[in-house]
């Protein structure tokens, strides 16, 4: 692992790092904010998964999370959204290929060789982080935006013993039922939709996955709301399953980081209360 940059901010250190991933077979970049802390202290951690076309840099530069994380004493980690490099296959569309890994382990050629974002986020990167940073791996939360909100929900639902808290901003709640998801899941996993269910939050809940509670913020002025995000499907799934979900529709807000940064500190505090309990 190599440090790309380090900057002081809000009584902590914002770092960017790169390493050679065995899972994706490519270099991968991620950012970590570590608040100042007493020597020997292990910090709770909040993972943030980004959306389509993004890298680690979008939330790192525009997410406005550091002040809240420093106050709460929790670390913040932002991985990339896909493998990258000249040898990695790509697609002409913004919603597939590089920048659009959908946090799945691809099984279809040519994507299967590198697009292993589920294994990268669930296994390889946490192990690397535990080795190099003062992180309490028993106190992890996860959040994300759009495609990353889909990632946070599905990873949280599949790993309820690992993540004490799960939230999302504008998540794709049911990739099986929207154009973005149908394109990505068909391309990465093939046409058999039974293989898609473990990557669909609503399907996972229908199949028995549970969370102790959930926080979701969605902008009412989001131009992707009705065709791609379909927040109402998650509301119905949680209600039917008895999951205590706080799903808030925010008037006037869109899909951008102006929206995310507005509610980021509130999400950080919500996670911190659960991670430090």
């Amino acid at each position: 692992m190599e440090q790309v940059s380090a900057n002081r901010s809000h009584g902590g250190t914002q770092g960017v790092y790169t390493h050679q991933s065995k899972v994706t077979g490519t270099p991968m970049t991620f950012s970590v904010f570590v608040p100042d802390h007493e020597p020997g202290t292990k910090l709770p951690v909040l993972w943030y998964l980004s959306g389509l076309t993004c890298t680690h840099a979008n939330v790192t530069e525009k997410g406005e999370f550091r002040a809240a994380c420093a106050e709460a004493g929790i670390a913040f980690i932002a991985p990339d959204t896909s493998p990258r490099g000249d040898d990695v296959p790509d697609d002409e569309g913004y919603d597939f290929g590089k920048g659009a890994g959908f946090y799945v382990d691809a099984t279809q050629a040519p994507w299967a060789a590198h697009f292993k974002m589920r294994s990268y986020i669930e296994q390889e990167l946490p192990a690397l982080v535990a080795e190099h940073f003062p992180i309490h791996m028993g106190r992890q939360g996860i959040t994300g935006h759009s495609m990353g909100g889909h990632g946070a929900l599905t990873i949280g639902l599949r790993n309820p013993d690992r993540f004490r808290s799960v939230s999302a901003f504008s998540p794709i709640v049911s990739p099986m039922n929207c154009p973005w998801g149908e394109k990505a899941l068909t391309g990465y996993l093939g046409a058999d939709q039974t293989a898609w269910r473990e990557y669909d939050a609503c399907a996972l809940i229908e199949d028995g996955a549970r969370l102790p509670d959930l926080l979701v913020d969605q902008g009412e002025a989001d131009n992707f709301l009705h065709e791609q995000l379909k927040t109402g499907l998650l509301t119905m799934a949680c209600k039917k399953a008895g999951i205590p979900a706080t799903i808030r529709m925010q008037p006037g807000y869109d899909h951008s980081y102006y929206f995310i940064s507005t509610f980021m500190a509130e999400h950080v505090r919500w996670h911190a209360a659960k991670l430090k309990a």
Side-chain angles (χ1 to χ4, degrees):
M1 189 183 75
E2 297 181 3
Q3 186 177 78
V4 177
S5 64
N7 299 92
R8 290 289 294 166
S9 180
H10 291 283
T13 301
Q14 177 64 65
V16 176
Y17 306 86
T18 185
H19 72 110
Q20 182 65 33
S21 168
K22 295 180 180 178
V23 170
T24 68
T26 67
M28 295 294 290
T29 302
F30 63 99
S31 73
V32 183
F33 176 70
V34 179
D36 290 348
H37 55 281
E38 294 294 326
T41 301
K42 296 284 189 179
L43 301 173
V45 61
L46 178 58
W47 296 84
Y48 178 93
L49 305 183
S50 295
L52 289 168
T53 75
C54 292
T55 69
H56 71 282
N58 299 74
V59 70
T60 304
E61 296 169 1
K62 298 184 290 186
E64 299 184 25
F65 55 86
R66 279 174 286 268
C69 285
E71 181 179 356
I74 67 174
F76 189 99
I77 300 177
D80 202 349
T81 55
S82 78
R84 300 180 190 272
D86 294 339
D87 296 331
V88 176
D90 201 6
D91 184 82
E92 292 182 357
Y94 73 95
D95 53 356
F96 193 67
K98 292 180 183 178
F102 269 82
Y103 304 100
V104 308
D105 278 356
T107 60
Q108 304 298 301
W111 314 102
H114 298 291
F115 281 73
K116 300 291 187 183
M117 291 303 295
R118 173 181 177 175
S119 293
Y120 180 71
I121 299 296
E122 290 186 357
Q123 300 172 26
E124 185 178 37
L125 187 55
L128 184 73
V129 164
E131 180 181 355
H132 291 280
F133 297 94
I135 301 300
H136 191 317
M137 300 305 286
R139 298 182 181 272
Q140 299 184 65
I142 191 166
T143 188
H145 171 238
S146 194
M147 178 186 74
H150 140 75
L153 292 176
T154 55
I155 290 170
L157 284 162
R158 290 195 305 262
N159 298 275
D161 295 335
R162 180 181 301 182
F163 296 100
R164 293 193 177 193
S165 55
V166 179
S167 77
F169 301 88
S170 318
I172 304 171
V173 306
S174 184
M176 297 179 69
N177 292 291
C178 74
W180 279 343
E182 291 171 3
K183 177 178 179 178
L185 297 180
T186 301
Y188 293 136
L189 304 176
D192 182 3
Q193 294 193 12
T194 58
W196 298 8
R197 296 187 67 83
E198 61 187 313
Y199 296 110
D200 184 297
C202 292
L204 283 165
I205 293 170
E206 183 179 336
D207 292 344
R210 295 292 183 266
L211 294 171
D213 55 12
L214 176 65
L215 173 63
V216 173
D217 276 307
Q218 171 63 58
E220 287 186 353
D222 190 324
N223 59 319
F224 300 116
L225 173 58
H226 300 293
E227 182 181 18
Q228 304 283 9
L229 307 178
K230 301 188 176 183
T231 310
L233 295 178
L234 181 64
T235 302
M236 289 189 294
C238 289
K239 184 176 181 179
K240 185 176 180 180
I243 296 174
T246 302
I247 300 176
R248 307 185 299 193
M249 302 302 297
Q250 302 291 358
Y253 286 93
D254 58 19
H255 200 68
S256 72
Y257 270 88
Y258 294 109
F259 160 65
I260 298 167
S261 63
T262 299
F263 298 98
M264 177 64 83
E266 190 172 348
H267 278 242
V268 169
R269 290 191 291 268
W270 183 86
H271 283 275
K274 300 176 184 306
L275 296 177
K276 301 179 80 171

